[in-house]
Amino acid sequence: MAEPSGYWDSIPLDDPGLDIAAGEEFLQEVFQILLEEGVQKSTDVTQKEPQELRELLDLELRSHGEGQEQLLQRCRDVLRLSVRTGHPRFFNQLFSGLDHHALAGRFLTETLNTSPYTYEVAPVLLLMEEQVLAKLRELVGWSSGDGIFAPGGSMSNTLAMNVARFRRFPESRSRGNWDLPRLGLFASQESHYSILKGAALLGIGTDNVHLVRTDERGKMIPGELEKEIQRVKAEGSEPLFVCATSGTTVLGAFDPLDAIADVCARHGLWLHVDAAWGGSALLSPQLRHLLAGIHRADSVTWNPHKLLMVGLQCSAFLLRDGSGLLQRCHGVGAPYLFQRDKFYDVSLDTGDKSPQCGRRADGLKLWILWKAVGSQGLARRVERAFAATRYLLEQVKRREGFQLVIEPEFINLCFWFIPPSLRGKDSSPEFWDKLGKVAPAIKEKMIRRGSMMVAYQPHGSQVNFFRQVITNPAVTRQDLDFFLDEIQELGWDL
């Protein structure tokens, strides 16, 4: 199609194409809204039905822009109508709370709007990332190694599988899976679903992920791992990779890493530890025994955006190997980014270690938080969450109608609430079916009321129960008492 005559010449270029003064004024107003609505106000909203929310938000995108006042109202609406994960009564996910120092780091990251793939465009951020990764490796127990920040624990676990395959079969990088034997991956029945997703993404196949039996506390049984490896070998597959979990999603279980490492050593298998949830216990002298043996792992996933409250997203993939394995596995040396004749040390151009190109500078907010509170402050944060869980545990044991699913090892507190109508009827054939409907009904009530939020789920043969987790240091004893009182009130007439 022919271009309109003189069209490009009609676009003025003498002045900026943005109204910078108006933009700065808008930002000042938005920051005030963020402070007032997003940080200072802690009142949750009642959840709206999707259609009602669509109408309230006026989501349609039109050909002409809106005025500043209308845009500011849009910003207020986003905060007003969204779930406040910083609220001290948000217990729904393995992340919650709002740390002001980490939030400042997030503001800096967004303002700089750069990618830490080369030193030339992100010099400060790359040096910070280097320091943070080294500190995390030190806590794992490694004096050297490698690592990269990934967009979440699922991707960190997938990187581990990919690097393990590359180390055993370096030709897989160029030739794919075609000439490889059928590979075997092993994880516990309680492992994160990202292991299955990663196997599918990498072309290994979910059928080749073998889920190892766990004990009554949700821990992988090393003897069962040994049996599974032997079985897979007998079937003609090639065992490759074992994922142990330090802090399972539902029960908060920690696999016995030393015993699992012994099995891996006997068979020459890559040991990865998914410590996305429980890794932060390494900061506490009182709790790091939960991860005894983690130093023997080949790789580790650790999500500071969970228990350390750094803010989404911040997931570290840590590697014991410091020989450049990560670079050899993923790097392609694109000459428009990773030129070898730069004026500085090009080993600082770390972006080629990742399958991503553009990456968020996720290490910055953790660096700022660490600078603000130190390792001791981070340890106290973990220990406070543990202490709060112990307080809540004792209250659950004392209150009528509350029944533990399992004695917690960490800060996952799993329990049923049995309403008066079901008490003393656990021998009835309908008891468990009816009890499984209680947690969803209570959660619907609490969300419609807007009082708090907590997760529930079934687990194996066990019907729906509540899983309460505490990561927010703003949570007080009053909030924990309210939590149990609210469940009692909302479930009383079920």
Side-chain angles (χ1 to χ4, degrees):
M1 181 183 294
E3 294 177 0
S5 177
Y7 177 79
W8 304 114
D9 294 334
S10 69
I11 297 177
L13 300 177
D14 293 330
D15 296 311
L18 294 172
D19 188 337
I20 295 174
E24 290 177 355
E25 180 184 346
F26 176 71
L27 276 179
Q28 288 178 349
E29 295 282 352
V30 169
F31 286 143
Q32 190 61 35
I33 291 170
L34 285 171
L35 185 61
E36 293 174 358
E37 299 285 343
V39 177
Q40 293 173 352
K41 288 187 179 179
S42 62
T43 304
D44 266 334
V45 296
T46 55
Q47 190 137 331
K48 311 292 183 183
E49 297 295 335
Q51 187 53 42
E52 183 184 3
L53 200 56
R54 288 188 184 99
E55 292 170 1
L56 286 169
L57 289 171
D58 184 15
L59 296 170
E60 184 181 349
L61 299 173
R62 302 179 177 86
S63 58
H64 295 286
E66 297 179 340
Q68 180 164 307
E69 284 306 312
Q70 201 164 12
L71 288 173
L72 291 171
Q73 185 57 47
R74 303 290 188 211
C75 294
R76 291 188 187 93
D77 289 344
V78 169
L79 292 168
R80 182 173 58 88
L81 296 170
S82 292
V83 173
R84 308 292 178 86
T85 64
H87 192 289
R89 294 173 184 172
F90 175 85
F91 304 107
N92 207 68
Q93 254 65 48
L94 301 184
F95 63 85
S96 70
L98 188 152
D99 182 274
H100 300 85
H101 299 103
L103 181 60
R106 294 153 79 182
F107 287 155
L108 290 169
T109 299
E110 296 303 314
T111 302
L112 289 171
N113 188 39
T114 192
S115 175
Y117 44 34
T118 63
Y119 179 83
E120 64 184 343
V121 297
V124 173
L125 304 181
L126 270 170
L127 295 178
M128 286 179 174
E129 180 173 282
E130 179 182 66
Q131 178 62 34
V132 170
L133 290 169
K135 194 68 177 178
L136 294 177
R137 289 195 302 269
E138 178 187 318
L139 286 164
V140 169
W142 302 332
S143 58
S144 60
D146 204 348
I148 199 82
F149 280 97
S154 292
M155 285 309 302
S156 290
N157 288 340
T158 301
L159 292 182
M161 288 183 262
N162 197 40
V163 173
R165 179 177 60 179
F166 173 77
R167 188 188 67 169
R168 177 82 68 84
F169 302 103
E171 69 276 14
S172 65
R173 174 186 155 96
S174 56
R175 296 165 62 183
N177 289 328
W178 303 109
D179 294 332
L180 301 186
R182 184 171 184 173
L183 303 178
L185 312 180
F186 304 86
S188 86
Q189 294 172 332
E190 300 288 324
S191 61
H192 193 257
Y193 67 86
S194 58
I195 303 303
L196 290 167
K197 283 196 170 188
L201 181 65
L202 295 173
I204 294 171
T206 57
D207 287 351
N208 296 311
V209 177
H210 307 281
L211 299 181
V212 180
R213 280 205 315 119
T214 56
D215 64 17
E216 69 281 357
R217 299 193 57 79
K219 299 170 179 287
M220 184 192 290
I221 303 171
E224 293 296 319
L225 173 62
E226 178 73 40
K227 290 178 185 177
E228 277 295 296
I229 293 169
Q230 297 288 6
R231 182 185 64 80
V232 167
K233 282 184 175 181
E235 292 176 352
S237 294
E238 178 88 7
L240 172 73
F241 172 96
V242 173
C243 176
T245 309
S246 289
T248 58
T249 305
V250 178
L251 300 180
F254 287 74
D255 288 342
L257 300 182
D258 264 322
I260 293 171
D262 289 341
V263 175
C264 290
R266 278 198 299 274
H267 294 278
L269 305 185
W270 183 284
L271 173 58
H272 174 67
V273 177
D274 178 3
W277 175 223
S280 297
L282 289 169
L283 285 151
S284 166
Q286 308 304 317
L287 296 172
R288 63 174 294 119
H289 68 274
L290 294 169
L291 297 99
I294 193 171
H295 65 284
R296 299 177 64 186
D298 294 289
S299 56
V300 170
T301 291
W302 183 347
N303 285 8
H305 71 234
K306 289 186 165 74
L307 193 46
L308 296 186
M309 218 174 66
V310 175
L312 289 165
Q313 60 197 27
C314 187
S315 176
F317 172 63
L318 306 174
L319 196 63
R320 184 171 58 171
D321 185 293
S323 71
L325 181 62
L326 200 54
Q327 173 74 33
R328 296 195 302 276
C329 179
H330 296 129
V332 294
Y336 52 83
L337 269 183
F338 304 111
Q339 304 94 338
R340 309 304 299 172
D341 55 355
K342 294 178 178 178
F343 66 91
Y344 57 82
D345 178 4
V346 294
S347 67
L348 293 168
D349 290 352
T350 58
D352 220 16
K353 296 177 182 179
S354 170
Q356 297 172 257
C357 180
R359 279 196 310 124
R360 293 172 58 89
D362 292 325
L364 168 58
K365 54 199 170 190
L366 178 54
W367 183 87
I368 293 239
L369 173 60
W370 214 314
K371 280 288 191 180
V373 304
S375 300
Q376 291 182 347
L378 295 176
R380 283 194 297 272
R381 184 164 293 185
V382 177
E383 291 167 357
R384 192 181 193 280
F386 194 84
T389 303
R390 289 305 172 274
Y391 170 79
L392 197 62
L393 170 64
E394 293 308 311
Q395 297 304 308
V396 164
K397 288 179 176 179
R398 291 174 184 171
R399 294 199 185 205
E400 186 179 6
F402 289 85
Q403 180 177 325
L404 280 178
V405 175
I406 189 172
E407 191 81 19
E409 181 176 24
F410 195 41
I411 59 176
N412 303 48
L413 186 63
C414 300
F415 63 90
W416 290 285
F417 176 72
I418 305 172
S421 66
L422 291 177
R423 291 175 194 171
K425 299 180 180 179
D426 52 324
S427 60
S428 165
E430 299 91 20
F431 174 81
W432 289 105
D433 181 59
K434 290 181 178 179
L435 183 60
K437 298 173 182 176
V438 170
I442 291 176
K443 181 163 184 176
E444 180 181 350
K445 286 184 176 184
M446 72 175 65
I447 288 178
R448 291 187 181 281
R449 179 183 283 189
S451 57
M452 63 183 191
M453 192 176 285
V454 62
Y456 72 84
Q457 66 282 302
H459 184 258
S461 61
Q462 295 165 318
V463 300
N464 284 318
F465 54 82
F466 289 112
R467 180 204 59 178
Q468 203 265 16
V469 290
I470 301 167
T471 62
N472 187 352
V475 171
T476 64
R477 183 179 283 106
Q478 181 182 4
D479 295 312
L480 299 176
D481 291 338
F482 174 88
F483 170 78
L484 298 178
D485 291 342
E486 185 76 349
I487 288 177
Q488 280 183 311
E489 180 184 337
L490 296 176
W492 190 257
D493 59 351
L494 294 177

